[in-house]
Amino acid sequence: AKKNLIVHAPTGLGKTVASLCPALYHAIKKNYTIFFLTSRHTQHFIAIDTLREIRERYNLKIVATDIIGKKWMCPVPGIDTLFSGDFADYCNSVREDGKCEFFQNTRKGTKLSKEAEIVLLQITDQSPCHSDRIMALCEEFRLCPYELATELAKISRVIIADYYYVFNPHIRKLFFKKAEKNLPGSIIIVDEGHNLPARLRNLLTEKLTDFMIDNAIKEAKKFGYEETESNLRNLKEALNWLSEKLGDGYERLVTKEEFVKRVEG
């Protein structure tokens, strides 16, 4: 009927298959890519299992990519102990210096290595498969799972990923470029959409705490950046003064002019 539909449906009713089936039909017809976005890893499994059932029931070849955060796909031991920002810096550094064994084994310049091409064919034949399967195959051949996943995404009809792969402008730009995708040629399915507003608020929120400033002061002092250290101390004093007498759970609106004036004090 081409009308908007709002349905309140309980868990287990079949919302995932009800959204994926018609989306797949339309995507194949129009040569679109479906982005199934979810905030929980468990929902990745449900989406992949649903695609498998569709494939088996209708004897339909479906290539899908199940991709999670780059950090969580990284096979380097102990990487899970790093903060996301630290991991990004580490990953960029070792790749640029040619010190990441997994990346070096995966790419030769801009092209995939022979081993990576062989594993990519295996993953494609087994698709749809969970990210765990991609990671296991890559670990066996000492390859980078994230790089293989982005290569698989190029030929995928369905991509299962976190909200941020579409809604975070920076991540979207990088991923869409690597996967050779574009928004006009995409169908977006937002799983558990009630979680999306909070995630977007977090995305648009900047936070600065005493703990963060104290760490910055220690780092500036360690490397001899005296002017930076002085500026950071002024910043901390200004924030403490502006938040003075505020109890837990209370907030105060501070204008930009008031804040700058206090910092420059």
Side-chain angles (χ1 to χ4, degrees), residues 193-234:
H194 58 277
N195 291 321
L196 184 59
R199 290 290 298 277
L200 295 184
R201 281 197 299 271
N202 288 336
L203 179 62
L204 295 169
T205 299
E206 297 293 342
K207 183 183 291 185
L208 186 65
T209 66
D210 276 359
F211 178 75
M212 294 163 67
I213 297 175
D214 285 339
N215 281 342
I217 290 171
K218 289 177 184 176
E219 191 168 329
K221 187 175 182 179
K222 178 180 177 181
F223 292 101
Y225 295 118
E226 295 179 2
E227 184 179 352
T228 301
E229 182 187 351
S230 176
N231 291 336
L232 286 167
R233 292 189 185 281
N234 289 340

Side-chain angles (χ1 to χ4, degrees), residues 6-256:
I6 299 176
V7 179
H8 182 259
T11 301
L13 190 69
K15 297 187 292 295
T16 301
V17 70
S19 60
L20 276 174
C21 273
L24 262 175
Y25 175 81
H26 191 68
I28 293 170
K29 189 176 178 181
K30 297 288 186 179
N31 195 28
Y32 286 169
T33 301
I34 299 170
F35 280 86
F36 188 91
L37 307 177
T38 178
S39 62
R40 294 192 298 156
H41 286 184
T42 52
Q43 292 302 112
H44 288 239
F45 285 91
I46 293 173
I48 287 292
D49 290 343
T50 300
L51 289 171
R52 280 179 174 173
E53 289 182 26
I54 294 172
R55 179 194 65 186
E56 291 166 5
R57 176 167 294 193
Y58 298 102
N59 193 27
L60 184 65
K61 177 61 178 176
I62 303 171
V63 180
T65 300
D66 177 23
I67 189 165
I68 56 178
K70 190 175 184 179
K71 170 186 167 183
W72 303 112
M73 297 187 82
C74 182
V76 175
I79 210 72
D80 56 322
T81 61
L82 295 178
F83 290 112
S84 296
D86 294 335
F87 166 74
D89 292 339
Y90 167 80
C91 181
N92 290 334
S93 176
V94 294
R95 280 193 294 114
E96 289 172 3
D97 294 341
K99 295 180 180 179
C100 179
E101 172 197 356
F102 302 97
F103 184 80
Q104 293 297 313
N105 291 342
T106 305
R107 291 199 180 276
K108 302 301 178 185
T110 57
K111 296 182 179 180
L112 289 179
S113 65
K114 293 295 182 183
E115 293 81 4
E117 289 180 350
I118 291 170
V119 174
L120 182 60
L121 282 175
Q122 290 184 46
I123 296 170
T124 304
D125 289 340
Q126 296 176 24
S127 186
C129 60
H130 302 297
S131 58
D132 289 350
R133 180 57 183 156
I134 297 175
M135 292 161 68
L137 278 170
C138 287
E139 186 174 351
E140 182 181 342
F141 289 87
R142 309 295 287 176
L143 301 172
C144 175
Y146 184 80
E147 290 297 319
L148 259 292
T150 55
E151 284 295 324
L152 181 65
K154 291 179 181 179
I155 57 172
S156 290
R157 181 66 64 194
V158 184
I159 297 173
I160 297 109
D162 184 81
Y163 296 156
Y164 280 179
Y165 275 81
V166 170
F167 290 103
N168 184 315
H170 177 68
I171 295 174
R172 181 179 67 239
K173 183 179 179 180
L174 293 176
F175 181 72
F176 273 49
K177 183 178 180 180
K178 287 177 73 75
E180 298 176 359
K181 303 297 180 183
N182 60 77
L183 276 179
S186 302
I187 297 172
I188 311 297
I189 299 175
V190 181
D191 181 58
E192 296 191 327
H194 58 277
N195 291 321
L196 184 59
R199 290 290 298 277
L200 295 184
R201 281 197 299 271
N202 288 336
L203 179 62
L204 295 169
T205 299
E206 297 293 342
K207 183 183 291 185
L208 186 65
T209 66
D210 276 359
F211 178 75
M212 294 163 67
I213 297 175
D214 285 339
N215 281 342
I217 290 171
K218 289 177 184 176
E219 191 168 329
K221 187 175 182 179
K222 178 180 177 181
F223 292 101
Y225 295 118
E226 295 179 2
E227 184 179 352
T228 301
E229 182 187 351
S230 176
N231 291 336
L232 286 167
R233 292 189 185 281
N234 289 340
L235 178 62
K236 182 180 178 180
E237 288 175 8
L239 287 174
N240 287 338
W241 183 84
L242 290 168
S243 61
E244 197 175 22
K245 297 180 181 179
L246 278 181
D248 289 342
Y250 289 88
E251 53 187 36
R252 175 189 172 192
L253 181 63
V254 179
T255 65
K256 178 181 176 180

